[in-house]
Amino acid sequence: MTRSALRRAPLFLALGLVSAPLWASTPVDQTDPRHAEPRTLDAVEVKATPLPDTAENLARPVEVLSGARLDEAKANSLGETVNKLPGVQSSYFGPGVGRPIVRGFDGARVQVLSDGLGSGDVSTVSADHAVTIEPFLADQIEVLKGPATLLYGSGAIGGAVNVIDGRIPEVEPDEPFQGRAEVRADSVNDGGTGMLRLDGATGNGFVFHFDGLHRETGDYSIPGYAESARQLAEEGETPDPDTHGVLPNSALRTNSAALGLSWVGDAGFLGAGYSLYSTRYGVPGHSHEHEHGEDEHGHEEEHEEEAGHEEDGVRIVMDQRRTEARGGLNDIGPFKSLRAKLARSEYTHTEFEGDVVGTVFDNDSTEGRVELVHQPFGGFDGAFGLQFARRDFLAIGDEAFVPASKSRDAGLFWIGQRQFDALKLELGARHDQNRIDVDDRTAIGPDRDFDTTSLSAALQWDFSEAFHLSLGLDRAQRSPTAEELYSNGVHVATGSVELGAPDLDVETANRAELGLHWHRGPLKLGAALYHVRYDDFIYLADTGVEEHDGPVRLWTQDDARFNGAEAEADWNFAQNDSGSWNARLFGDIVRGELSGSGSREVGFSVPHGDHTHDYSVDLARGGNLPRIAPWRVGGELRWERGPMRASLGAVRYAEQDRVAEFESATPGYTLVDAHLAWHGDTAGGNAWEVFVDGSNLLDKEARPHTSFLKDVAPLPGRGVSFGVRAFF
């Protein structure tokens, strides 16, 4: 047993003891809802909207993961967990970082939520910053595709991902005391994860929740070398055979815990909770070069301290503490319900270069939300909402490329729906005010104020019980973020110089989407076509200039167009003595490009100590946008019989050769995975499940085009995870 495994043994042993009484097996009770396979889209209620409904009945596109499908999909990062949903891929910055990419949009355009409130981290500031939401503790994950600005503001102009974890109970549990636990080990990184969750009620209206998780992994295995063949050829290097098969500096350690308590009655509920999230992870492929200077005799000398940085690379230590309060009232005069949420997050993120602190990010945020669902008015069921947020951001260190700032946001919205026989109409409107106050000592521009307005209309036509057609039209706006406005220096994580543009304007997206859903017996089909026209789209352009041993990238804006399509088919083609057999196929494609022609001249200055280097370059007004996810197609075969279930799947990611200027193409690859699980019940009504999961079974080299690290950090190679889940 390795030393890291020995350190993990106490937690895994404790969780094993919790589940030990469950091993007295009896035949599986298929009526137990814990064993029921939920219909991923049709039957699960979506909670991201104040007007809850099932995914099939919503006119807006949404995907839901829950139950056994969620258990199979759970991974170290949120992005990797939702990666196989149609239209959803993941960013990648090593195993500790993966943010959802929805229809080609990521970063500040996709809002990540913890049960309706922002995660409170700084994952939009930099591609190497992790999301502080633990997918292993999720009950349900909802992905809103297309603009979700009506509900969640300008940061959701490309979509939103809402993680339901139940950390503050809103209803009494089904049993006075219940919970679940999971222990797993992973071969690809010599890693292990242990999780425990408890929910209970005291009988006098009080309900409590507790959860805890510990994960620890080593450097993960890869099929070849960390650097791509293209990169090695460009650098004229021959890789060291000793570096084959392992990605250095890819280890990960995560701890998460939460405690919640609520009073639940007929009139409503009131609850509070406290949670922590702490993680440490390496940034693969990134280290600082030796810095050179001159001694008193004019001879070049190497700083040994920096040499140590190169050997150890960059590591990130992140810690977040979060306090929440939630409450609700039912049936209050003209309103069906009132729901209020408030969260305070204190976040610290330290980047170590070797053993030396390079940059410290502090982010203290407060977010509140009030939703009032009104009685039918004018034939519309609807809800009013008020959302407000405050963020105090501070970056300290020689390589703090984003200045300190204070952001203030407030938004007011209304959404409503009305049924006209076979037609269902959904309408919505929202107005936001955003202000960014920047530290005058470090800023490259003035404070900014923005007003944004978003409008939406969606129509669902039920031709029959089996066939539904939907049409969605949106006008959504997003205000620039502090990093887009004021970045001004070396961004160590991406190995580049990032320069903001303090005169950026609001961007506006106009979207049209046509969707259909058809089901007949065991067969279900779904598809969508969409077009998004952006005015003043904000993007990070490569200038072709190199400074500080890396490319200079400039935040700028121009008009852009996104066109895409996605489809999914689900067929339960056999139900007999051999078991239940199900086949799923899906595919998606998106193309993002600037819609202009010719070029425009842009001037900028790159800081260099106490002076600057001035440049003037021509930026193309047409062509492909950078880091757009490639098209892909995937399939899965599932089998269930009695206590057993199994699946085998594959996803083909195409070569991405529609690249932006100064961007390299990425080869295609195929990832194959498999899952096997065995259920059992105990005489006491508890349950257990033993599972084995395989990933990248063909051991293929995979380099996501969406990753800044694609040429220095491939995805993990072949891996097997195995463990046990307990339900009690």
Side-chain angles (χ1 to χ4, degrees):
M1 183 178 289
T2 64
R3 186 177 303 173
S4 62
L6 286 171
R7 288 197 303 267
R8 293 189 292 271
L11 173 66
F12 298 152
L13 178 60
L15 290 174
L17 291 174
V18 171
S19 60
L22 308 178
W23 286 91
S25 178
T26 63
V28 176
D29 177 8
Q30 295 294 344
T31 65
D32 189 332
R34 291 172 295 195
H35 301 142
E37 176 69 18
R39 289 177 292 168
T40 305
L41 283 179
D42 295 347
V44 181
E45 185 179 272
V46 177
K47 299 181 179 180
T49 169
L51 305 173
D53 209 337
T54 62
E56 182 183 353
N57 290 333
L58 289 172
R60 307 175 194 279
V62 63
E63 299 277 355
V64 179
L65 271 179
S66 65
R69 293 288 180 99
L70 177 57
D71 285 337
E72 293 176 5
K74 286 177 179 177
N76 290 347
S77 70
L78 181 60
E80 187 181 353
T81 300
V82 299
N83 187 48
K84 291 177 69 175
L85 296 174
V88 186
Q89 297 196 34
S90 177
S91 67
Y92 190 72
F93 221 93
V97 183
R99 212 173 187 278
I101 299 174
V102 180
R103 293 180 169 180
F105 300 111
D106 62 352
R109 292 187 180 88
V110 175
Q111 181 77 278
V112 176
L113 306 159
S114 175
D115 201 359
L117 291 177
S119 57
D121 52 46
V122 295
S123 59
T124 61
V125 174
S126 172
D128 66 318
H129 297 177
V131 174
T132 56
I133 293 179
E134 176 50 58
F136 267 78
L137 299 172
D139 294 328
Q140 181 170 307
I141 300 178
E142 305 163 351
V143 181
L144 281 66
K145 298 185 289 188
T149 51
L150 290 179
L151 294 173
Y152 298 111
S154 71
I157 195 171
V161 179
N162 188 38
V163 180
I164 308 297
D165 51 31
R167 284 180 159 178
I168 299 181
E170 298 186 13
V171 297
E172 292 192 6
D174 296 332
E175 302 290 338
F177 181 80
Q178 63 187 43
R180 68 176 188 259
E182 179 174 329
V183 181
R184 70 163 59 199
D186 305 297
S187 68
V188 74
N189 51 23
D190 186 31
T193 301
M195 180 275 286
L196 174 66
R197 170 175 176 152
L198 303 172
D199 294 278
T202 63
N204 56 356
F206 287 97
V207 184
F208 70 87
H209 168 92
F210 168 80
D211 66 54
L213 174 138
H214 176 73
R215 176 187 298 113
E216 191 166 348
T217 75
D219 292 341
Y220 66 74
S221 301
I222 56 177
Y225 294 99
E227 291 188 294
S228 66
R230 185 193 66 80
Q231 177 111 339
L232 291 170
E234 284 186 0
E235 296 176 349
E237 293 184 358
T238 300
D240 183 351
D242 293 338
T243 64
H244 186 276
V246 176
L247 183 65
N249 202 30
S250 59
L252 168 70
R253 183 178 183 180
T254 301
N255 292 293
S256 180
L259 180 65
L261 180 66
S262 297
W263 177 85
V264 179
D266 294 336
F269 75 97
L270 180 64
Y274 181 81
S275 62
L276 63 88
Y277 182 91
S278 176
T279 185
R280 303 182 179 196
Y281 57 92
V283 179
H286 279 74
S287 59
H288 289 284
E289 303 294 336
H290 303 324
E291 289 192 2
H292 299 272
E294 292 184 354
D295 61 20
E296 59 182 348
H297 303 291
H299 298 128
E300 187 178 75
E301 63 178 3
E302 182 181 282
H303 297 287
E304 294 185 2
E305 186 177 69
E306 293 297 328
H309 295 177
E310 182 178 15
E311 179 181 352
D312 295 336
V314 177
R315 293 179 299 112
I316 291 176
V317 177
M318 179 189 301
D319 183 89
Q320 184 188 65
R321 308 300 166 101
R322 184 177 174 97
T323 305
E324 291 189 60
R326 295 173 184 254
L329 292 173
N330 303 321
D331 297 324
I332 45 176
F335 298 101
K336 291 183 178 179
S337 66
L338 178 149
R339 294 291 184 268
K341 310 173 183 179
L342 182 67
R344 169 71 177 174
S345 298
E346 297 178 346
Y347 173 101
T348 298
H349 166 128
T350 305
E351 296 184 355
F352 287 89
E353 303 164 30
D355 295 325
V356 179
V357 174
T359 309
V360 178
F361 295 91
D362 285 335
N363 189 71
D364 293 341
S365 63
T366 302
E367 182 178 353
R369 186 178 181 89
V370 178
E371 299 172 349
L372 276 166
V373 178
H374 61 73
Q375 301 287 353
F377 180 77
F380 279 87
D381 294 313
F384 294 97
L386 172 66
Q387 182 180 1
F388 57 90
R390 169 180 178 147
R391 185 183 88 156
D392 294 348
F393 173 81
L394 176 64
I396 306 170
D398 293 337
E399 293 171 343
F401 69 101
V402 183
S405 63
K406 295 182 179 180
S407 301
R408 307 291 182 266
D409 305 313
L412 181 66
F413 67 88
W414 176 82
I415 61 171
Q417 59 186 29
R418 182 175 179 179
Q419 191 75 38
F420 298 90
D421 295 327
L423 294 176
K424 182 180 181 179
L425 176 64
E426 296 182 9
L427 299 175
R430 177 174 177 133
H431 182 75
D432 285 87
Q433 291 184 336
N434 315 105
R435 177 175 176 83
I436 301 176
D437 296 325
V438 68
D439 190 335
D440 293 333
R441 294 170 297 176
T442 57
I444 61 171
D447 300 339
R448 296 293 306 275
D449 288 283
F450 302 97
D451 286 272
T452 58
T453 299
S454 298
L455 303 170
S456 178
L459 185 68
Q460 180 170 296
W461 186 2
D462 297 331
F463 284 90
S464 65
E465 184 179 347
F467 182 67
H468 315 293
L469 183 69
S470 61
L471 173 66
L473 300 173
D474 298 273
R475 176 193 184 270
Q477 291 190 310
R478 182 180 76 90
S479 58
T481 63
E483 47 272 20
E484 294 167 340
L485 293 166
Y486 305 119
S487 296
N488 190 37
V490 177
H491 187 173
V492 176
T494 59
S496 64
V497 177
E498 283 191 21
L499 302 177
D503 59 347
L504 292 175
D505 202 355
V506 168
E507 67 178 22
T508 302
N510 296 284
R511 180 192 70 122
E513 176 169 350
L514 183 65
L516 65 88
H517 174 87
W518 178 82
H519 62 269
R520 182 173 183 179
L523 181 62
K524 294 185 293 184
L525 300 174
L529 291 170
Y530 58 90
H531 169 77
V532 188
R533 186 180 74 248
Y534 267 93
D535 298 329
D536 298 320
F537 181 79
I538 300 171
Y539 68 103
L540 189 60
D542 203 323
T543 63
V545 174
E546 292 212 0
E547 285 272 11
H548 301 284
D549 298 318
V552 177
R553 297 186 175 118
L554 180 68
W555 285 105
T556 186
Q557 61 186 158
D558 211 333
D559 295 343
R561 303 290 182 268
F562 285 78
N563 294 291
E566 57 201 37
E568 183 177 24
D570 197 282
W571 182 25
N572 185 217
F573 62 88
Q575 190 98 25
N576 50 43
D577 291 341
S578 68
S580 175
W581 296 84
N582 195 86
R584 172 180 176 255
L585 294 174
F586 77 94
D588 52 48
I589 185 173
V590 61
R591 184 175 181 185
E593 55 188 346
L594 297 171
S595 57
S597 60
S599 62
R600 55 192 172 94
E601 185 177 359
V602 177
F604 57 90
S605 299
V606 179
H608 240 281
D610 57 357
H611 64 283
T612 61
H613 292 173
D614 298 327
Y615 295 92
S616 180
V617 300
D618 290 330
L619 293 182
R621 302 200 65 181
N624 299 301
L625 285 163
R627 290 173 297 281
I628 296 296
W631 67 264
R632 61 181 180 164
V633 62
E636 180 185 53
L637 178 65
R638 297 179 65 87
W639 167 81
E640 291 186 50
R641 185 173 184 270
M644 302 287 293
R645 75 170 186 270
S647 67
L648 177 66
V651 182
R652 174 64 184 176
Y653 292 79
E655 174 189 13
Q656 181 57 288
D657 54 5
R658 296 181 179 275
V659 296
E661 193 174 10
F662 308 112
E663 184 185 26
S664 60
T666 308
Y669 53 89
T670 300
L671 298 180
V672 177
D673 64 88
H675 306 272
L676 176 65
W678 178 31
H679 304 275
D681 283 330
T682 70
N686 300 317
W688 52 266
E689 182 173 283
V690 178
F691 64 90
V692 179
D693 298 331
S695 58
N696 195 5
L697 294 178
L698 301 182
D699 204 31
K700 293 295 185 179
E701 182 175 276
R703 299 181 182 272
H705 187 75
T706 57
S707 172
F708 282 97
L709 303 183
K710 65 180 183 179
D711 285 317
V712 293
L715 295 179
R718 181 186 297 116
V720 176
S721 301
F722 54 93
V724 59
R725 301 184 184 102
F727 308 89
F728 51 91

